[in-house]
Amino acid sequence: MNYLVVAFCLFFFANALAALYAPIQDCDEVFNYWEPTHYLNHGFGLQTWEYSPEYAIRSWLYIVIHAIPGKLGSMVFSMRSYEFYFVRMMLAAVCAGCETRLFSTISQIVNPRISMIFLLAMVTGPGMFHASVAYLPSSFTMYTSMMGVAAFMDWQGGLKTNQGIMWFGAGATVGWPFSAALIVPFLPDELIYGKLTGKISESVYRILDGIVRTLIVVALQVAVDIFFYHKALFVPWRIVSYNIFSRSSRGPDIFGTEPWHFYIRNLLLNFNIWFLLAVCAGPLLVLQSRTRRQSPMRTPFLRSMILITPFYLWLAIFSAQAHKEERFMYPVYPFLCVNAAITLHTVLHYLGNSDSNNLIGRFSAKIKLVFVTMFVLLTVGVGILRTLGTVTAYAAPLAIYKPIQRPDYADAGGNVCLGKEWYRFPSSYFLPKNMRARFVKSAFDGLLPGQFSEATTGFGFFPTWLVPSGMNDQNIEDPGKYVDIRHCSFLVDSYFPGAEPSMLEPNHVLDTNTWKRLQCTSFLDASQTHFLARIFWIPDWDVIPERYHRKWGRYCLLQRRPSIP
């Protein structure tokens, strides 16, 4: 069997597991992407302020790209939750294809062993488990960045700079405009090549060709957004403008800030030892070039440095920003794994030295093999334990909506209300067609999503150009987004023994006179669980000290009991 087929199957297997079991980590994924997609395919959904024509900082082209396979899924499956997983599986396949393309390029151009280590890091890294199938622009730019770097690095059959620019350009326009920074290390390589070979005109032509291809994508994006917003605008610029040039009362910082070391801690959790190896790639390559040791890679020193630079560049740029989120690192996860693979390969090359005059050469091959095997097993094992811990701890929001899919509940309809658990709502794909998600007041005092217009006559195919009421770009609470809890047929709530109830967030789960528990699932009580048990899967065995056992709460779908006259 072709080794690329094997690689694709391994990538897809890991991604498919993520599609089936990965919890949704970011409420933006639901409210800014799953909900608009559900609206296009089923006529209703929750609308955030970003999709109000007044602000328009989300492009509908990205939604349409996912709504098409979603529509195909709706033709095959009667339950919309299956459609949700169908789209996730499509993302898993696309990601696997991009991973295989980069794997192939690394194998053929850089070094086959580096490509194998890259594969191992990608399929076992907890970060990739979530990023591979996340319906987020940062995941989309991760896909396009893999294709872009593969094009820039693959000189077989001639330079492919035009393809590289197109892929990075598509990621920056359709996905996330800030990802354009990732192309910066690669463009000088083309210009240097043109100058050294005397073919600068060919280099300029390739660059212009790539720009033209990107402009075609831009034209398509503008056309789609004109259709939905009923006005001409360039969404990537509006995103940049809001995030960089907004006044202090607006912009990303109003949604929270983190210290400079946030991403270091986050990447250590999501890639453990792979992250430490990735950080060492640059210094190790420089050290090797200074000592004039034989390079363990096929690529020249300069090209190797270009390949590892995007990871450092991205980490530096986003560490300097006050507002930080885990998903902002998604575009460089493959670069992290490439850097880690280069470091480990270089170390293995050094360990392979059999010169008895060298300290490493005095150790036997068996001892080296044991050391390397233990190191790899430890790295992979820690990653798997992290992934298992996340899945088993936080899977409840994707599991509790099954009872209302039964005909006796689905046909009756009603409001499914969300209070303090609003940010864990997995999307309207988990509700029957006669039910709607609604919000009840909780301690959260920011702006919640409203409802897309469900008007079907007189406003065109999709009345997305109508300006909704109660929207703002300053995260100011709108009381109109709430309903009275007495209008809720169902309620999603959680109960943690260590949490104190309040007037705004009472323990509805314990109020058995008002609510009936339709479905309850265990959910990790992070406040009562030891740090190690929060970040890794630790079994509840008697031999393990009690303080390392995970502590659990209950995550429930409740049904209102009939009122007694």
Side-chain angles (χ1 to χ4, degrees), residues 295-375:
S295 174
M297 297 189 293
R298 299 171 181 172
T299 50
F301 171 74
L302 179 59
R303 296 211 80 205
S304 299
M305 291 301 294
I306 289 173
L307 180 59
I308 68 171
T309 297
F311 168 70
Y312 296 109
L313 177 65
W314 192 264
L315 182 60
I317 291 174
F318 280 86
S319 292
Q321 308 306 309
H323 179 64
K324 300 177 177 68
E325 296 186 39
E326 179 177 318
R327 59 192 167 103
F328 293 171
M329 285 292 110
Y330 286 5
V332 289
Y333 279 1
F335 293 96
L336 183 154
C337 293
V338 169
N339 284 27
I342 289 173
T343 298
L344 184 55
H345 168 73
T346 304
V347 171
L348 292 176
H349 180 78
Y350 179 66
L351 289 176
N353 191 326
S354 57
D355 186 358
S356 59
N357 294 323
N358 189 297
L359 177 62
I360 294 296
R362 298 174 186 174
F363 291 92
S364 68
K366 288 184 177 180
I367 293 177
K368 295 177 184 177
L369 180 62
V370 170
F371 171 77
V372 171
T373 301
M374 291 179 61
F375 176 83

Side-chain angles (χ1 to χ4, degrees), residues 530 532-533 538-551:
H530 190 276
L532 289 177
I538 297 180
D540 295 333
W541 295 342
D542 293 338
V543 295
I544 296 175
E546 174 63 26
R547 68 191 185 106
Y548 293 113
H549 285 196
R550 296 192 290 178
K551 306 302 186 293

Side-chain angles (χ1 to χ4, degrees), residues 261-309:
H261 49 77
F262 173 84
Y263 288 125
I264 294 176
R265 291 184 287 111
N266 185 265
L267 291 173
L268 279 170
L269 282 175
N270 283 325
F271 285 96
N272 55 78
I273 303 174
W274 296 120
F275 170 64
L276 298 177
L277 292 173
V279 171
C280 295
L284 199 59
L285 286 180
V286 172
L287 177 64
Q288 189 174 56
S289 69
R290 294 285 184 179
T291 57
R292 299 186 180 276
R293 294 181 181 274
Q294 180 183 359
S295 174
M297 297 189 293
R298 299 171 181 172
T299 50
F301 171 74
L302 179 59
R303 296 211 80 205
S304 299
M305 291 301 294
I306 289 173
L307 180 59
I308 68 171
T309 297

Side-chain angles (χ1 to χ4, degrees), residues 28 32 48-53 55-58 229 255 471:
D28 266 7
N32 274 324
T48 62
W49 67 269
E50 291 97 326
Y51 284 92
S52 170
Y55 307 107
I57 64 169
R58 295 287 180 261
Y229 287 122
F255 299 100
M471 295 295 189

Side-chain angles (χ1 to χ4, degrees), residues 166-188:
M166 177 195 69
W167 283 115
F168 279 111
T173 53
V174 180
W176 201 23
F178 301 106
S179 67
L182 292 172
I183 199 175
V184 171
F186 297 99
L187 289 178

